[in-house]
Amino acid sequence: MDDKAVHAVRILGIDPGLNFTGYGFVDYVPGVLRHVASGVIVTPKGELSERLGYIFSELGKLIELYSPMVSTIEKTFLNSNAQSSMLLSHARGAAMTAAAVHRLACREFSTREIKKSVTGYGAATKDQVQELVKFHLHIEEDLSSDQADALAAAICYANSSILLDRVPALSNKVGSSGTGTARRGSSSRRSRNEWTRLYEGKQK
């Protein structure tokens, strides 16, 4: 297929939360990731139904504004606080419904999958994720953890075979990635070493 037929795929990454929902829009073409926009939806106080409606409404407005082709969100994980897990699940539902209403399939990835895709290490810290997200997307300003997690989910989708299945024009062009993200099959040790070199270099 002619190179001119390959267009950027716009990905919406979502980091849901009842108080703060991070979002990030990333354009992807083979070998290139570009930061489009990101931020945090801050939910006002009120009844649970009103707060969920706000997340749904605000995310819908962003989808209409930036017109992503696909979306992605972190899978639910259970922690020791059942109440917090339940509220997070409500927020995820509101976000995923906003995507569905706008005819966006919403792919779920585990926390470990997202971290490994961005840093090469599934147990990376939040600071490491933030730094590597900024590195991959050439972002100079600081990112909140919610923004970084949303953008990390988008990067994970860009690195996944699912995206290639949805956009076949990309399938023959992913052999050489210039994003610096970890390739499937690379060892965790090598990826951690790459992270260490990057992070130490930024501290000098």
Side-chain angles (χ1 to χ4, degrees), residues 2-193:
D2 191 276
D3 286 352
K4 293 181 180 178
V6 180
H7 301 288
V9 178
R10 181 157 295 176
I11 306 167
L12 165 60
I14 307 168
D15 179 51
L18 188 59
N19 296 318
F20 306 103
T21 291
Y23 63 87
F25 293 89
V26 172
D27 280 351
Y28 173 73
V29 293
V32 179
L33 288 168
R34 185 176 72 87
H35 175 236
V36 177
S38 60
V40 179
I41 298 170
V42 181
T43 312
K45 301 298 181 183
E47 295 295 327
L48 177 60
S49 59
E50 296 171 342
R51 304 185 79 190
L52 297 175
Y54 186 83
I55 295 170
F56 171 84
S57 175
E58 292 302 302
L59 194 56
K61 293 175 185 176
L62 290 165
I63 291 171
E64 291 176 2
L65 178 62
Y66 291 105
S67 302
M69 295 173 63
V70 292
S71 64
T72 183
I73 196 169
E74 188 175 311
K75 286 182 179 177
T76 299
F77 66 92
L78 298 177
N79 57 38
S80 58
N81 189 325
Q83 178 71 7
S84 294
S85 295
M86 182 175 66
L87 293 175
L88 175 59
S89 294
H90 285 317
R92 289 180 78 255
M96 294 177 76
T97 301
V101 165
H102 288 82
R103 300 181 181 276
L104 285 180
C106 193
R107 170 71 184 183
E108 297 177 84
F109 292 98
S110 70
T111 303
R112 187 172 186 84
E113 286 176 307
I114 293 172
K115 288 182 175 181
K116 187 172 183 179
S117 180
V118 174
T119 71
Y121 181 42
T125 66
K126 278 191 172 292
D127 285 346
Q128 290 170 340
V129 171
Q130 285 175 295
E131 287 299 321
L132 264 295
V133 165
K134 289 170 62 177
F135 173 75
H136 295 317
L137 298 177
H138 309 289
I139 297 173
E140 296 294 333
E141 66 271 16
D142 290 336
L143 297 172
S144 71
S145 61
D146 303 294
Q147 277 179 283
D149 287 349
L151 290 168
I155 292 171
C156 182
Y157 201 152
N159 287 339
S160 72
S161 59
I162 296 96
L163 182 60
L164 301 184
D165 293 338
R166 292 182 62 87
V167 190
L170 301 179
S171 61
N172 296 323
K173 312 186 83 57
V174 296
S176 59
S177 173
T179 64
T181 48
R183 297 178 178 83
R184 287 186 298 279
S186 64
S187 70
S188 295
R189 179 179 299 175
R190 185 177 68 191
S191 298
R192 286 197 297 271
N193 288 342

